Amino acid sequence: MPPILVIGNTHDPATPLRWARSLSARIQGSGLLIHDGDGHTAYRRSACATEHIDTYLVTGTLPATGQPIGGAGQPFGGAEGSAVDS
C-alpha cells in the first residue's frame, strides 16, 4: 500500500493548514504537500501542485522533501510552510 499524501493550502477557509499538519503527523509515513494559495483545493489551481499530485496518484510515490509549491505553479523560497514535508 502506498504512503498517504496529505495536501493543505496556506489560506484554506474550510480546513486550516494546522489540520493538515496535525493529520499528517498522526499518519505514520505520510507526506504533507503544502500549497501556498487560497481556496479549499490545490489540484488544478497550481501547475506545480497538480504535477506532484498526478505523480503521486500514478506512482504512489510521495514528492521529494523540501520542494517548494508556489501558488502560481512557480517555485519560490523562504516562505514558511511552502514545501513538501514528510
Side-chain angles (χ1 to χ4, degrees):
M1 178 180 269
I4 301 296
L5 176 62
V6 178
I7 304 162
N9 285 354
T10 54
H11 306 287
D12 185 336
T15 53
L17 180 57
R18 70 180 184 277
W19 292 3
R21 289 185 190 276
S22 175
L23 178 63
S24 181
R26 292 173 187 207
I27 302 173
Q28 184 176 3
S30 69
L32 175 60
L33 183 134
I34 301 171
H35 172 251
D36 185 33
D38 297 327
H40 183 61
T41 63
Y43 193 73
R44 298 193 67 183
R45 295 179 73 110
S46 157
C48 186
T50 299
E51 181 178 339
H52 285 295
I53 296 165
D54 283 348
T55 298
Y56 168 76
L57 291 172
V58 171
T59 68
T61 304
L62 294 173
T65 301
Q67 291 182 297
I69 308 300
Q74 298 298 318
F76 62 96
E80 190 271 324
S82 61
V84 178
D85 298 332
S86 59

